[in-house]
Amino acid sequence: DGGITQSPKYLFRKEGQNVTLSCEQNLNHDAMYWYRQDPGQGLRLIYYSQIVNDFQKGDIAEGYSVSREKKESFPLTVTSAQKNPTAFYLCASSSGVNEQFFGPGTRLTVL
Amino acid sequence: AQKVTQAQTEISVVEKEDVTLDCVYETRDTTYYLFWYKQPPSGELVFLIRRNSFDEQNEISGRYSWNFQKSTSSFNFTITASQVVDSAVYFCALSEARTGNQFYFGTGTSLTVIP
């Protein structure tokens, strides 16, 4: 089945640690995105990539990093510089100006 | 400035009632796209509809209908005869041709359907 997978579903991090969230898609989409969602709030764009080996900062990129070495994969690293990383992280992909398809999300908690 | 405004934060209705979720957008582009997504408690966003700026026809899909009015920059979503399974957070989003694939999401409306 075509779709987007994110792993892990739940992730716990100690303060000061970097963690990497996985996002894979087999929809052959060029564009991929990372969003952060806090309780009771909308989605805020962290990073997006419109093509392999290229990505742009979104509205809240500080404390995060990404890579896009393969079309199918767009991992997000939450660094120790991110002061309040506890949130729900959603990955999405799209083709052209069409709708974005979302993965199931990763819930990150800092202990 | 907020490009997409969903003024209703939370709505509760009794099952079988009709409910309309409001969405107001702001853009200077003549070519843009509007979307609605549903986020059930599981968390994954489910795509519901896409509308481009040149197509103002209203759309109906089963119990769902959408009213797109450029004159008021609104793209409202109505659920007819609501059901408990409709309980979710609903997001409206805007994509502008000028900025490519970037989406602007509203803050969402949490709908609770009471049995």
Side-chain angles (χ1 to χ4, degrees):
Chain A
D1 283 359
I4 301 176
T5 57
Q6 290 185 243
S7 61
K9 188 172 183 178
Y10 298 96
L11 185 58
F12 299 91
R13 187 194 96 171
K14 293 182 180 179
E15 284 195 26
Q17 278 184 338
N18 292 355
V19 290
T20 297
L21 282 58
S22 168
C23 178
E24 304 277 332
Q25 56 100 356
N26 61 4
L27 300 168
N28 200 34
H29 288 167
D30 287 318
M32 297 186 74
Y33 313 79
W34 274 105
Y35 293 92
R36 169 180 171 142
Q37 185 178 26
D38 293 283
Q41 296 190 30
L43 279 68
R44 292 186 291 169
L45 182 65
I46 305 172
Y47 268 98
Y48 65 104
S49 167
Q50 297 190 338
I51 198 168
V52 175
N53 292 323
D54 186 46
F55 48 83
Q56 288 79 39
K57 292 182 179 180
D59 301 320
I60 55 165
E62 185 175 349
Y64 300 98
S65 66
V66 293
S67 63
R68 187 84 187 279
E69 297 176 1
K70 298 187 300 181
K71 189 175 186 178
E72 305 79 30
S73 179
F74 191 40
L76 173 74
T77 297
V78 184
T79 74
S80 56
Q82 170 51 236
K83 298 307 177 189
N84 185 22
T86 294
F88 187 53
Y89 291 87
L90 284 159
C91 178
S93 71
S94 72
S95 175
V97 295
N98 295 316
E99 59 272 16
Q100 294 185 7
F101 291 91
F102 285 81
T106 292
R107 199 166 297 277
L108 172 64
T109 303
V110 174
L111 302 173
Chain B
Q2 191 75 13
K3 284 186 174 286
V4 177
T5 301
Q6 294 180 256
Q8 304 151 308
T9 305
E10 295 182 2
I11 299 176
S12 292
V13 297
V14 176
E15 201 171 18
K16 297 184 183 178
E17 286 184 348
D18 299 347
V19 58
T20 296
L21 309 182
D22 298 333
C23 174
V24 175
Y25 63 92
E26 180 184 335
T27 181
R28 293 180 181 178
D29 279 23
T30 55
T31 302
Y32 54 90
Y33 306 86
L34 296 164
F35 305 81
W36 275 96
Y37 285 85
K38 174 181 180 180
Q39 186 178 40
S42 61
E44 182 173 346
L45 267 73
V46 177
F47 165 73
L48 296 178
I49 190 171
R50 169 181 179 264
R51 250 315 176 243
N52 72 56
S53 51
F54 300 108
D55 182 2
E56 281 194 78
Q57 267 195 328
N58 292 331
E59 176 139 350
I60 298 175
S61 176
R63 295 183 298 106
Y64 294 172
S65 62
W66 291 269
N67 185 328
F68 177 26
Q69 291 196 338
K70 290 177 76 170
S71 60
T72 55
S73 296
S74 65
F75 186 44
N76 297 338
F77 173 29
T78 297
I79 301 175
T80 303
S82 60
Q83 300 176 1
V84 173
V85 294
D86 296 327
S87 296
V89 180
Y90 291 86
F91 290 97
C92 180
L94 165 73
S95 173
E96 299 167 319
R98 175 175 56 89
T99 54
N101 312 72
Q102 189 170 352
F103 273 37
Y104 302 94
F105 282 88
T107 51
T109 297
S110 178
L111 173 65
T112 300
V113 181
I114 303 165

